[in-house]
Amino acid sequence: MVSIDVWNASVDFPIFDAKSRSLKKLALGKVGGKIGSEGRVPIIEALHDITLSLKDGDRVGLVGHNGAGKSTLLRLLAGIYEPTRGASRIVGKVAPVFDLGVGMDPEISGYENIMIRGLFLGMTRKQMEKRVDDIAEFTELGDYLQMPLRTYSTGMRVRLALGVVTSINPEILLLDEGIGAVDAAFMAKARDRLKDLVARSGLLVFANHSDEFLAEFCDTAIWMDEGHVKMHSGLREVLTAYKGFDPFERMHEHDPTPVLSGNGGE
Amino acid sequence: MQATTTPDHPEAPPAVKSRSFKRAFADVREAWDHRELWGHLGWQDIKQRYRRSVIGPLWITISMGTTALALGLLYSVLFKTDVATFLPYVTVGFIVWNFIVGCVTEGTDVFIANEGLIKHLPAPITVHVMRMVWRQVLFLLHNLVVYAVVLAIFFTSLDHQYRIGETSPWQPGLSWTIVLAIPGFALLAVNAVWISLLFGVISTRFRDIPPVVNSFINLVFFMTPIVWDAGVLNRVTGGGDGDWRMLIAELNPVYHFVEIVRAPLLGHTVDWHHWAIVGGFTVFGWFAALVILRNYRARVSYWV
């Protein structure tokens, strides 16, 4: 049973400046009594008192301004950050697609990166070798897969990362906004695969600024604001509250063939 | 409307504690289950380092060969010992030392260097340590070629009873005991894992540790009987067993770690007190590493 539960979780980042990140300061700090307020290390409260319960079949859009805590929340849900206060429990195989510049080695080939990402996500080498051709075909990168990753454009990296996560049947798929970098033709292709994937097993959490993408994949949404969950409800309600107008109506005007099948906000 | 709205989240937080020995053990166990991952990454690191060089990883072997040759010749002259027995001694000592120093210095840096992976892919943190130790094991295997060559050249000097210097104890010569190098090295590698877990986590929080370790490690090299033989101490002390100067070697834990691998490879007497001391360090060290892992495992991704 795939689920993510988070109880009153907070994520606080200690910000060590160059000086306080040393033993000397710690030792001297004790001798000299308390300097400043309670903590010597300044803290950024990235997430505050998050309580969530997501389960199989949930398709959640994540909206909010820059710095509202969307990416941090995704990392909390991936289990990369364990809450500093509160608790979290993640049941299921997680596949994240976050910042695409990092977590891939620019010096090694696309093939190697596919292999390493797959292994990190819990696949075996044999399983990945079987999937490599499928991924190569899906990403349309062809001979480029032999090239070092540093020669790839952002869009090509997104293709690669999406190719890996969609080929390995993850139970929990976490997508950050970076995946908007691919062109429309590829996105159409990825859509089918993602939809298929989400329908098959999973739980999807998708941070994006595009109403179309959100409408396509999600039926509920979370509005993050200053590290809080400001609203967690149907996609249409959240988007309406977040934007101040109903984006779906406008979408209908522009696009005579609605792409909104299966959005639960209605 | 939606079943997953926040207000009616019924369950109370159960015991999903982040700080527990269970989670610490799970981290190490899951890292072991991921051995295909770090196995692959370790190979990748070596291939990567020599990607565009003509002779590739052979450079590892060549650099070890020249260093061992130069040090062996120099110190055999300085200490007036027979090069046929002293050169193999320095070679093996230096190979083992290289493994230890690689694990310690890269161990302090292991999480800092893997910041990108730690922040972007959920994985047990021990995976990064295993990858690093595995990489060092592969380096050592490259260097064993030097050992094989040296052994082939000087075999006739080592296959019977010999001693390195005039004041050194007699050694029985190469025999079946050479296989003891395998469990000896396995034990060394097991220790390398806890050392880099422990130092890795602490260094991630306190960034002064890597430079401190780097500046003291050279001192440790000269304090350890690698380019000099512990038998030299006999000359200084006149052979007295209880002399405090004998402690220079005995109190240095690195000496014991080196000795459990080196002695069998050279046909030296396998002295069990080295094994006992290393065994003690293994137990104590893993305990310390698990305590650190229990308390600070989840903090590493915040600190990097």
Side-chain angles (χ1 to χ4, degrees), chain B residues 197-217:
Chain B
L197 271 175
L198 187 71
F199 280 88
V201 173
I202 297 173
S203 308
T204 310
R205 173 65 183 83
F206 298 104
R207 301 292 171 104
D208 297 74
I209 303 293
V212 167
V213 169
N214 277 317
S215 50
F216 278 98
I217 203 89

mmCIF file of all heavy atoms in Angstrom, chain B residues 197-217:
data_model
loop_
_atom_site.group_PDB
_atom_site.id
_atom_site.type_symbol
_atom_site.label_atom_id
_atom_site.label_comp_id
_atom_site.label_asym_id
_atom_site.label_seq_id
_atom_site.Cartn_x
_atom_site.Cartn_y
_atom_site.Cartn_z
ATOM 1 N N LEU B 197 32.383 6.642 7.920
ATOM 2 C CA LEU B 197 31.049 7.035 8.403
ATOM 3 C C LEU B 197 31.192 8.053 9.527
ATOM 4 O O LEU B 197 30.579 9.126 9.522
ATOM 5 C CB LEU B 197 30.294 5.813 8.930
ATOM 6 C CG LEU B 197 29.459 5.019 7.941
ATOM 7 C CD1 LEU B 197 28.887 3.778 8.621
ATOM 8 C CD2 LEU B 197 28.320 5.868 7.408
ATOM 9 N N LEU B 198 32.029 7.698 10.495
ATOM 10 C CA LEU B 198 32.204 8.545 11.674
ATOM 11 C C LEU B 198 32.785 9.906 11.304
ATOM 12 O O LEU B 198 32.198 10.952 11.585
ATOM 13 C CB LEU B 198 33.124 7.814 12.660
ATOM 14 C CG LEU B 198 33.320 8.440 14.032
ATOM 15 C CD1 LEU B 198 32.056 8.316 14.837
ATOM 16 C CD2 LEU B 198 34.448 7.727 14.768
ATOM 17 N N PHE B 199 33.926 9.864 10.597
ATOM 18 C CA PHE B 199 34.584 11.119 10.243
ATOM 19 C C PHE B 199 33.773 11.878 9.205
ATOM 20 O O PHE B 199 33.763 13.105 9.207
ATOM 21 C CB PHE B 199 35.999 10.861 9.730
ATOM 22 C CG PHE B 199 36.993 10.626 10.823
ATOM 23 C CD1 PHE B 199 37.207 9.362 11.325
ATOM 24 C CD2 PHE B 199 37.694 11.686 11.377
ATOM 25 C CE1 PHE B 199 38.114 9.148 12.347
ATOM 26 C CE2 PHE B 199 38.596 11.483 12.401
ATOM 27 C CZ PHE B 199 38.809 10.199 12.889
ATOM 28 N N GLY B 200 33.115 11.152 8.325
ATOM 29 C CA GLY B 200 32.316 11.807 7.299
ATOM 30 C C GLY B 200 31.205 12.645 7.898
ATOM 31 O O GLY B 200 31.027 13.810 7.543
ATOM 32 N N VAL B 201 30.467 12.068 8.841
ATOM 33 C CA VAL B 201 29.348 12.797 9.446
ATOM 34 C C VAL B 201 29.873 13.988 10.245
ATOM 35 O O VAL B 201 29.374 15.108 10.106
ATOM 36 C CB VAL B 201 28.502 11.866 10.338
ATOM 37 C CG1 VAL B 201 27.462 12.660 11.101
ATOM 38 C CG2 VAL B 201 27.831 10.792 9.510
ATOM 39 N N ILE B 202 30.910 13.763 11.037
ATOM 40 C CA ILE B 202 31.433 14.853 11.859
ATOM 41 C C ILE B 202 31.996 15.972 10.980
ATOM 42 O O ILE B 202 31.764 17.151 11.222
ATOM 43 C CB ILE B 202 32.516 14.322 12.835
ATOM 44 C CG1 ILE B 202 31.889 13.312 13.804
ATOM 45 C CG2 ILE B 202 33.142 15.460 13.621
ATOM 46 C CD1 ILE B 202 32.884 12.599 14.691
ATOM 47 N N SER B 203 32.696 15.585 9.898
ATOM 48 C CA SER B 203 33.292 16.600 9.020
ATOM 49 C C SER B 203 32.238 17.399 8.275
ATOM 50 O O SER B 203 32.468 18.547 7.913
ATOM 51 C CB SER B 203 34.204 15.959 7.982
ATOM 52 O OG SER B 203 35.118 15.121 8.594
ATOM 53 N N THR B 204 31.104 16.779 8.008
ATOM 54 C CA THR B 204 30.051 17.498 7.313
ATOM 55 C C THR B 204 29.521 18.630 8.184
ATOM 56 O O THR B 204 29.201 19.713 7.705
ATOM 57 C CB THR B 204 28.905 16.536 6.956
ATOM 58 O OG1 THR B 204 29.466 15.406 6.315
ATOM 59 C CG2 THR B 204 27.919 17.175 6.026
ATOM 60 N N ARG B 205 29.500 18.386 9.483
ATOM 61 C CA ARG B 205 29.045 19.418 10.414
ATOM 62 C C ARG B 205 30.162 20.417 10.717
ATOM 63 O O ARG B 205 29.943 21.620 10.728
ATOM 64 C CB ARG B 205 28.546 18.754 11.697
ATOM 65 C CG ARG B 205 28.204 19.701 12.824
ATOM 66 C CD ARG B 205 27.021 20.583 12.475
ATOM 67 N NE ARG B 205 26.754 21.538 13.552
ATOM 68 C CZ ARG B 205 27.395 22.684 13.693
ATOM 69 N NH1 ARG B 205 28.330 23.023 12.835
ATOM 70 N NH2 ARG B 205 27.100 23.499 14.693
ATOM 71 N N PHE B 206 31.351 19.891 10.985
ATOM 72 C CA PHE B 206 32.481 20.759 11.347
ATOM 73 C C PHE B 206 33.518 20.703 10.238
ATOM 74 O O PHE B 206 34.273 19.746 10.132
ATOM 75 C CB PHE B 206 33.095 20.324 12.679
ATOM 76 C CG PHE B 206 32.140 20.412 13.828
ATOM 77 C CD1 PHE B 206 31.558 19.275 14.343
ATOM 78 C CD2 PHE B 206 31.796 21.633 14.364
ATOM 79 C CE1 PHE B 206 30.652 19.355 15.385
ATOM 80 C CE2 PHE B 206 30.894 21.721 15.409
ATOM 81 C CZ PHE B 206 30.319 20.577 15.927
ATOM 82 N N ARG B 207 33.564 21.739 9.444
ATOM 83 C CA ARG B 207 34.390 21.702 8.242
ATOM 84 C C ARG B 207 35.880 21.872 8.529
ATOM 85 O O ARG B 207 36.686 21.923 7.617
ATOM 86 C CB ARG B 207 33.919 22.775 7.257
ATOM 87 C CG ARG B 207 32.457 22.602 6.848
ATOM 88 C CD ARG B 207 32.269 21.349 6.013
ATOM 89 N NE ARG B 207 30.855 21.042 5.786
ATOM 90 C CZ ARG B 207 30.220 21.266 4.644
ATOM 91 N NH1 ARG B 207 30.844 21.805 3.643
ATOM 92 N NH2 ARG B 207 28.959 20.927 4.520
ATOM 93 N N ASP B 208 36.240 21.981 9.816
ATOM 94 C CA ASP B 208 37.667 22.049 10.136
ATOM 95 C C ASP B 208 38.310 20.678 10.144
ATOM 96 O O ASP B 208 39.528 20.571 10.064
ATOM 97 C CB ASP B 208 37.884 22.658 11.527
ATOM 98 C CG ASP B 208 37.404 24.074 11.582
ATOM 99 O OD1 ASP B 208 36.173 24.281 11.608
ATOM 100 O OD2 ASP B 208 38.243 24.972 11.578
ATOM 101 N N ILE B 209 37.491 19.647 10.271
ATOM 102 C CA ILE B 209 38.062 18.314 10.436
ATOM 103 C C ILE B 209 38.874 17.866 9.214
ATOM 104 O O ILE B 209 39.997 17.397 9.374
ATOM 105 C CB ILE B 209 36.961 17.278 10.776
ATOM 106 C CG1 ILE B 209 36.192 17.703 12.035
ATOM 107 C CG2 ILE B 209 37.550 15.895 10.973
ATOM 108 C CD1 ILE B 209 36.979 17.690 13.311
ATOM 109 N N PRO B 210 38.367 18.021 7.977
ATOM 110 C CA PRO B 210 39.184 17.545 6.845
ATOM 111 C C PRO B 210 40.582 18.161 6.788
ATOM 112 O O PRO B 210 41.556 17.419 6.661
ATOM 113 C CB PRO B 210 38.331 17.912 5.620
ATOM 114 C CG PRO B 210 36.944 17.937 6.131
ATOM 115 C CD PRO B 210 37.032 18.444 7.536
ATOM 116 N N PRO B 211 40.735 19.496 6.913
ATOM 117 C CA PRO B 211 42.107 20.019 6.896
ATOM 118 C C PRO B 211 42.953 19.528 8.066
ATOM 119 O O PRO B 211 44.154 19.297 7.890
ATOM 120 C CB PRO B 211 41.935 21.543 6.951
ATOM 121 C CG PRO B 211 40.510 21.802 7.146
ATOM 122 C CD PRO B 211 39.748 20.582 6.836
ATOM 123 N N VAL B 212 42.336 19.354 9.230
ATOM 124 C CA VAL B 212 43.095 18.848 10.382
ATOM 125 C C VAL B 212 43.618 17.447 10.062
ATOM 126 O O VAL B 212 44.798 17.152 10.225
ATOM 127 C CB VAL B 212 42.211 18.810 11.647
ATOM 128 C CG1 VAL B 212 42.893 18.009 12.743
ATOM 129 C CG2 VAL B 212 41.906 20.217 12.137
ATOM 130 N N VAL B 213 42.716 16.599 9.569
ATOM 131 C CA VAL B 213 43.120 15.222 9.242
ATOM 132 C C VAL B 213 44.208 15.229 8.171
ATOM 133 O O VAL B 213 45.215 14.536 8.271
ATOM 134 C CB VAL B 213 41.894 14.405 8.775
ATOM 135 C CG1 VAL B 213 42.332 13.081 8.176
ATOM 136 C CG2 VAL B 213 40.957 14.168 9.940
ATOM 137 N N ASN B 214 44.011 16.075 7.149
ATOM 138 C CA ASN B 214 44.989 16.111 6.063
ATOM 139 C C ASN B 214 46.371 16.542 6.527
ATOM 140 O O ASN B 214 47.376 16.078 5.997
ATOM 141 C CB ASN B 214 44.505 17.056 4.959
ATOM 142 C CG ASN B 214 43.533 16.359 4.047
ATOM 143 O OD1 ASN B 214 43.743 15.219 3.665
ATOM 144 N ND2 ASN B 214 42.440 17.017 3.721
ATOM 145 N N SER B 215 46.411 17.442 7.521
ATOM 146 C CA SER B 215 47.736 17.897 7.919
ATOM 147 C C SER B 215 48.407 16.921 8.880
ATOM 148 O O SER B 215 49.623 16.908 8.983
ATOM 149 C CB SER B 215 47.658 19.299 8.517
ATOM 150 O OG SER B 215 46.670 19.357 9.498
ATOM 151 N N PHE B 216 47.612 16.112 9.584
ATOM 152 C CA PHE B 216 48.245 15.184 10.518
ATOM 153 C C PHE B 216 48.579 13.831 9.894
ATOM 154 O O PHE B 216 49.389 13.082 10.423
ATOM 155 C CB PHE B 216 47.357 14.968 11.746
ATOM 156 C CG PHE B 216 47.519 16.072 12.743
ATOM 157 C CD1 PHE B 216 46.623 17.124 12.792
ATOM 158 C CD2 PHE B 216 48.601 16.082 13.624
ATOM 159 C CE1 PHE B 216 46.788 18.163 13.692
ATOM 160 C CE2 PHE B 216 48.769 17.112 14.526
ATOM 161 C CZ PHE B 216 47.855 18.163 14.560
ATOM 162 N N ILE B 217 47.968 13.551 8.752
ATOM 163 C CA ILE B 217 48.119 12.212 8.206
ATOM 164 C C ILE B 217 49.553 11.950 7.762
ATOM 165 O O ILE B 217 50.061 10.836 7.887
ATOM 166 C CB ILE B 217 47.097 11.985 7.062
ATOM 167 C CG1 ILE B 217 46.838 10.505 6.856
ATOM 168 C CG2 ILE B 217 47.533 12.630 5.767
ATOM 169 C CD1 ILE B 217 45.737 9.955 7.696
#
